[in-house]
Amino acid sequence: MKKIQMVDLRSQYLNIKPEVDKGIQEVIDSCAFINGPAVQTFQKNLEQYLGVKHVIPCANGTDALQVAMMALNLKPGDEVITSSFTFIATAEVIALLQLTPVLVDVDPSTFNIDPKAILRAITPRTKAIVPVHLFGQTAPMEEIMEIASKNNLYVIEDNCQAIGSDYIFDDNTTKKAGTIGHIGCTSFFPSKNLGCYGDGGAIFTNDDDLARQMRGVVNHGMTIRYYHDYVGVNSRLDSIQASILNVKLARLDEYAAKRRAAADFYDKAFANHPKLTTPGRYSKSTHVFHQYTLVTKNVDRKALIDFLSAKEIPAMIYYPVPLHMQKAYLDPRYKPGDFPVTEHLCETVFSLPMHTELDQDQLDYITRNVLDFLKS
Ligand SMILES: *Cc1c(COP(=O)(O)O)cnc(C)c1O
C-alpha cells in the first residue's frame, strides 16, 4: 500500500506533471515572472469558474483578508464579528488593523458560524461580519446576508477552505462560496483544495468600486504609476504559481468529487458509531471536504491519534485551541465557557487524511484501524 499522508501532493502532481512542467517552463522562458500572461489568464479563468465580476490575485489568504478589510475604510475600534472556531488568520488581520474581533460560537454539526449568535453580538460599533466556510462547506449565507443588510454591515467571506462549494438559496438558485458577500477571500496554500506550489491567494467581488480600491491596495495604494493615493501593501500572485493554478483549476470539480467519494466512504464506515459523529452535511451547501473531521465521544483522543500514528496513519486536530483562549488573543471580554460549542469541538475533534488521491486500500486500512481502536 502507498504511504498514507494527510494530503498527498506528490501523487497528485505526478498525474498532472507534463502540463504543470510545461506551464512552469513557459514562464521561465518568457521571464514574465510578475503579472505575466499566466496571471491574467488565471484571473479570467477563476472569474469565469466562480461566476464573479472581479478576481484580484494576491500573495496569500491572510493578505486577501487584510486587503479586503483595508478596502472598507474601517476605523480603529470598529467591531468585526467572526467565528470562534477557525484558523487564526481570520482574527489576526482584524487585530492587526486595530479593529476589534468579536467572536461568536458555531453550529455543532456543520462547525460554521451560528446566525443567531451573530444577531446577539451586534452593537452600534459593528461594521462587518466574516463568516468562515470551514472544512469545505458554505456557512448559512442567506441568513447572514439578511442580518447584514438589516444592520448595514459588510460581509467578507473567508473562503480559504471551500473554493468550489455551491451555496443553494431558498429559491434553488446557486452561487459559488466566496461570491455571495461583498468580498470573498481565498488561499492557494499547497494543501488547500486549489493549491499552488508555494504561496498564493485571491480576493473576489462583484462591486466595481471595491474592486478598484482593492487593486490599488495590493499595489502600494497606487492608481497611476508612482502616484500613491492611500497606504497599501505589496501583495502579488507570481506567474509560476498562476501557471500551476491554471492546470489545477481545470480539475477542481473532479478533485472535489474525489474528496466527496472518500468522505462518503468514511461516513458509511463510521455511521451510527456510539463514539463518533460524522461531519454534518448542511442541506444548503455542497461540501468540498477540505477536511474530514469527526467528533469523538468518550474517547481518549490522544491515545487514538498515537495508535493511528503507530500504524502510519496521520491524523490532525483542527483546531486544538479556541480563538478566545489563544495566548495572543486573551481578552478580558472573554473567559473559558463563553463559547461552549467551540470549546467542546476543540477538545473532541480529529481529522483523517483527505485528498484527491486516496485509494480504496488506504481507505479500508484507515477505517479498519480507527474502528479497531474504538473497540478496545
Ligand atoms: C489557510 C487559511 C487562511 C490563510 O491562508 P494563507 O494563504 O495561509 O495565508 C485563512 N483562513 C482560513 C480559514 C484558512 O484555512
Side-chain angles (χ1 to χ4, degrees):
M1 190 178 59
K2 206 165 54 174
K3 187 172 161 53
I4 300 172
Q5 302 190 47
M6 275 312 276
V7 182
D8 189 349
L9 289 174
R10 184 166 180 80
S11 300
Q12 191 192 57
Y13 165 63
L14 292 176
N15 284 324
I16 52 176
K17 185 176 187 311
E19 267 182 84
V20 168
D21 291 2
K22 180 166 168 280
I24 294 175
Q25 191 59 52
E26 278 171 13
V27 174
I28 296 173
D29 288 340
S30 74
C31 288
F33 296 115
I34 299 293
N35 215 12
V39 178
Q40 322 272 324
T41 309
F42 175 64
Q43 181 186 317
K44 292 275 165 314
N45 288 346
L46 190 57
E47 282 166 357
Q48 194 167 22
Y49 175 83
L50 294 170
V52 74
K53 217 163 154 192
H54 304 281
V55 163
I56 298 142
C58 65
N60 56 66
T62 310
D63 273 9
L65 289 160
Q66 181 178 333
V67 168
M69 271 175 236
M70 286 172 76
L72 299 180
N73 276 319
L74 306 181
K75 305 276 171 297
D78 284 350
E79 293 177 357
V80 179
I81 295 175
T82 193
S83 165
S84 50
F85 189 52
T86 178
F87 179 58
I88 199 70
T90 322
E92 183 176 59
V93 298
I94 300 172
L96 266 177
L97 295 173
Q98 298 185 311
L99 310 170
T100 304
V102 173
L103 304 177
V104 303
D105 216 344
V106 297
D107 178 275
S109 161
T110 63
F111 314 126
N112 274 329
I113 196 163
D114 177 357
K116 290 190 295 298
I118 295 177
L119 270 178
R120 289 195 293 271
I122 291 175
T123 76
R125 308 194 70 166
T126 309
K127 292 287 153 54
I129 308 169
V130 184
V132 183
H133 306 317
L134 203 71
F135 300 155
Q137 209 163 209
T138 318
M141 286 307 292
E142 207 159 5
E143 281 130 289
I144 292 169
M145 293 314 290
E146 198 181 308
I147 294 170
S149 107
K150 279 193 185 134
N151 293 277
N152 202 19
L153 307 175
Y154 285 111
V155 175
I156 301 172
E157 295 171 71
D158 181 341
N159 193 31
C160 291
Q161 300 191 1
I163 193 156
S165 164
D166 287 301
Y167 184 82
I168 305 148
F169 287 82
D170 275 342
D171 63 4
N172 274 325
T173 58
T174 66
K175 275 189 188 166
K176 290 281 179 204
T179 69
I180 304 159
H182 301 89
I183 304 176
C185 300
T186 204
S187 163
F188 305 126
F189 185 80
S191 65
K192 306 281 173 165
N193 287 39
L194 179 59
C196 58
Y197 294 171
D199 273 308
I203 314 160
F204 335 130
T205 187
N206 285 308
D207 184 309
D208 296 341
D209 292 333
L210 283 175
R212 196 175 318 111
Q213 185 78 5
M214 292 191 291
R215 287 209 168 89
V217 174
V218 296
N219 191 24
H220 303 290
M222 185 159 84
T223 40
I224 303 169
R225 198 159 203 178
Y226 303 129
Y227 288 76
H228 304 274
D229 295 349
Y230 39 91
V231 176
V233 295
N234 168 22
S235 189
R236 298 186 277 244
L237 177 72
D238 72 71
S239 306
I240 288 183
Q241 301 308 335
S243 77
I244 296 159
L245 289 166
N246 276 321
V247 176
K248 291 180 67 168
L249 177 60
R251 289 169 176 77
L252 187 58
D253 288 342
E254 176 199 322
Y255 286 161
K258 288 183 170 172
R259 288 171 176 274
R260 266 196 292 272
D264 287 344
F265 185 83
Y266 283 144
D267 274 356
K268 279 206 195 81
F270 304 132
N272 305 317
H273 195 288
K275 294 183 179 177
L276 293 178
T277 308
T278 55
R281 306 273 191 121
Y282 176 43
S283 62
K284 306 192 85 186
S285 168
T286 61
H287 205 321
V288 294
F289 284 99
H290 178 58
Q291 299 297 346
Y292 186 88
T293 301
L294 292 147
V295 184
T296 61
K297 189 174 163 192
N298 302 324
V299 173
D300 180 343
R301 182 173 61 166
K302 183 175 181 307
L304 166 62
I305 290 173
D306 289 347
F307 174 87
L308 294 175
S309 169
K311 307 271 179 188
E312 299 204 33
I313 301 169
M316 297 288 286
I317 298 172
Y318 303 116
Y319 295 94
V321 183
L323 287 191
H324 68 293
M325 287 157 76
Q326 293 284 0
K327 204 165 156 191
Y329 293 81
L330 291 175
D331 186 306
R333 287 176 299 154
Y334 299 127
K335 57 184 189 311
D338 282 352
F339 305 101
V341 179
T342 296
E343 289 169 40
H344 176 73
L345 292 173
C346 289
E347 281 162 15
T348 55
V349 291
F350 75 106
S351 300
L352 286 174
M354 176 48 74
H355 55 79
T356 59
E357 317 296 319
L358 280 164
D359 64 34
Q360 197 53 51
D361 286 349
Q362 292 176 317
L363 288 167
D364 285 333
Y365 179 78
I366 295 166
T367 50
R368 182 160 24 93
N369 278 292
V370 171
L371 293 170
D372 274 356
F373 175 86
L374 296 176
K375 260 185 231 148
S376 57

